[in-house]
Each structure stands twice: as C-alpha cells, then as structure tokens.
Amino acid sequence: MIAIDTVLVKVASRCNINCRYCYIYNMGDTRWATMPKRISHATITALAKALGDLSRAQQRRFAVVFHGGEPLLLGPKKLGVLLAALRRALPSDYPFSLQTNGMLITQEILDLCSEYRTSLGVSIDGPPDVNDRYRIDHEGKGTHKKVLEGIEKLQNHRDSDFLYTGLLAVIDPESDPCEVYNFFKTLNAPSLDLLYRDGNHSRLPYSKASFQSTENGRWLAQFLDIYLADKKPLKVRLLDDMIKLVLGGCGTKEGIGANDFGIIVIDTDGSVTKNDTLKSTFNGADRFTRRWSVFTNDLTEVANSSEFLAYHTLQRPTASACLSCPELSICGGGMLVNRWRDDSGYHNPSVYCADQLFLIGHIRNRVADLLVSHEV
Ligand code: SF4
C-alpha cells in the first residue's frame, strides 16, 4: 500500500476572488461548477470515518490540509463542525492546516483554528502592485488591502506563534525580486514558499515566453542572491530545499528532488481525486477512472489500487531528457502538471526545465563561492 502523508480536503468548491492564473477556474476545467459549493454535514461524517479508518490501517501519521476554492467560505459554524469531527477521528498529533487567500479571516475563525490546532498559510504574491495584477476579486479589483487586514489579525492573535505558519506566493517574473523580498520581510512570516505558475507545454504559463526561456529561473536566482545577502533572512522553503539538495540532502517539497509523496484529495462531494492542479491540463484530468468516495470506499482500498499506484509513480519523470539529466536528483523533473503536452501527455520534461537548469546552476555557483570563502 502507498503510505499516505497528506490528505487534502476541498471544503468549498467556489472562491470569493478570481485570480487570473487560477488553475481551478481559469484554465479550462469546468467540473467545479457541478460540485457542491460547500462540504455537507453528511460528507464531513463520512470523511471523519474514512480518515479514522485510514489512520488505524496505515499506523502512520498524515497531515490534513483544508483547501478550496476558498476554504473559509465554509463559514465558522460548519468549519467548527468539520474540525471537531476530524479531531475526534484522528490522533491529536496529526497536523491540520488551512490554505487561505486571507480575505475572510476573522477573530472567530482564528479562535476556532486555535481550539482545534489548525494552522493557517496565506496566499499573497507580494506588494500591492505585484499582487493586484493577478489576484483580483470578481469585480476585477485588487485584493491586497483585504489580505493584509487578514494577515494582521493572524499576527495579532494570542496563539499566532502556532497559527501563522507562513505565506505562499506565485512567482511573477516581471516583478522586482528585491521589492518582493523586502515586502515579505515586513510581514514577519515564519516562512515563505514560492510557486511556479501552473501551465504546460500546450498552454504556457502566464509570463513564460517559450520552453527555452529562463525568466522564472533568473528571477529566482536574483531572489536567492538577496536572500543569501540578508543577515536575518526569511525562511524560503523552495530555496532552502534546493540548497539542501545541491549539498546532497533531502527536499521536503513535491515537485523537486527524488522524494515521492502520497497525497489523496477529497472533493466537496466526498469523491477521491488526483492532485487538483492537474485540472489545468485537460477537463477531468484530476479524476480517477474508478469513482471512489468516502461514502462507499475505504481509503486503504484506494491506496492499494493499481490505478493509484500508476498515478503515484507518475511523480517520477519518464522523458528521456529527464532520465539522462545530470540535475535530475535536484530538479526531480518538476511538477507533473508542468510536464503535460496535448500530444504526448506527461512524457516530457517540465515546461520550467530551462528555468530549473538556470537556477540550479546558479545555486551550485553560489554554494561553491560560499564554501571557498568559508575555507579562506
Ligand atoms: S525537467 Fe529539465 S532540469 Fe528537470 S530533470 Fe528534466 S531535463 Fe533535468
């Protein structure tokens, strides 16, 4: 059986904002419109039972991540029901976290998350001019001001040391990395994670000119230089992981390095799906052939199935360019979603291959310089 380390629960299928680059709503998939807007009480009960059974069967801790759409659209009352049910079903040391756009954070929500030991990560892409180019509401207005208000509530909560786990930013290679880095430092985040935009060979990510272009790699290399020059740096997970990998250690992030992750996604109707970012490849790409559901199936049955194994194995790249690549152990072939091409499926290097090679080369040079200067 594949060990499950993360269960991602989609608690709301809609979002209160409309990011231009969003893989759920703006990249071709339309199935979200047929899903229940919010997880129901019946699904919460079935989910709690399924997760309790999985926990006993695999005897190994997994993390539970609440996601959307925007998970706080669930509202405090039902969020409390969900968290209470899952806390009753699972051992107390299982980490719970929630990824939010921050706009709906209230004191009541934070008190609930504190009570049920659920930490929050907030998505924000940088200062107002960077964030509001893409992270807009349904009227096309920027969201930055509201998100900052949410982050401020999070920072000021009596339990913020536990609750505030960090920020998640999608890279905009047209932004100034110095301005972005300095902005994030003002938010006193315990950590920052950076993501490439979703996209693939047939539908290039926003702001990527071609497969050969390196704008994202160059942006990250500049960001790395600012980071390394900072005497009191932010914790930047993507860069920390890549530096560790270059030095021969292990990464902790899906999509880089050679570690595989066992991730199950539960949708608002209780169905079991693949990683939902695959929605950006083709309509229905995140669906298994089998219609598994927490109402009718044991999650160990899913984790034991040949279809789940085949999906899990796809984390390892299959393209000959990757298999013979000297940087495979660092890059890992990138995220599955970024390998897609309409005529050859996932059998390609990442659409960010040139960016990755540029960044890894830069990290190698910087690490070598630092080791030499340290010896001197
Ligand atoms: S995506 Fe590119 S850099 Fe990454 S392993 Fe494949 S060939 Fe190497």
Side-chain angles (χ1 to χ4, degrees), residues 246 327 355-367:
V246 162
E327 302 294 11
D355 298 284
Q356 288 284 83
L357 288 173
F358 186 94
L359 176 62
I360 294 167
H362 188 75
I363 293 174
R364 285 198 185 285
N365 290 338
R366 290 304 317 267
V367 167

Side-chain angles (χ1 to χ4, degrees), residues 96-146:
F96 286 11
S97 62
L98 187 148
Q99 186 62 40
T100 172
N101 61 39
M103 309 259 296
L104 301 173
I105 292 177
T106 61
Q107 194 63 32
E108 189 180 5
I109 295 273
L110 294 175
D111 289 345
L112 265 177
C113 289
S114 173
E115 182 180 352
Y116 294 109
R117 309 312 288 158
T118 303
S119 60
L120 289 92
V122 181
S123 301
I124 180 169
D125 289 352
D129 59 314
V130 177
N131 186 80
D132 290 351
R133 282 184 70 198
Y134 294 96
R135 297 188 68 83
I136 53 175
D137 65 16
H138 289 281
E139 273 85 52
K141 295 196 197 97
T143 56
H144 197 269
K145 189 166 171 287
K146 261 325 249 159

Side-chain angles (χ1 to χ4, degrees), residues 280-331:
S280 65
T281 57
F282 61 91
N283 207 354
D286 64 327
R287 296 282 140 177
F288 289 107
T289 314
R290 287 277 310 273
R291 294 288 181 223
W292 289 303
S293 160
V294 292
F295 286 101
T296 49
N297 302 95
D298 191 321
L299 293 177
T300 54
E301 182 192 342
V302 177
N304 268 321
S305 69
S306 54
E307 193 177 5
F308 191 77
L309 175 64
Y311 163 62
H312 180 78
T313 306
L314 270 178
Q315 287 179 64
R316 297 290 104 233
T318 55
S320 55
C322 292
L323 298 180
S324 60
C325 176
E327 302 294 11
L328 176 60
S329 64
I330 319 293
C331 168

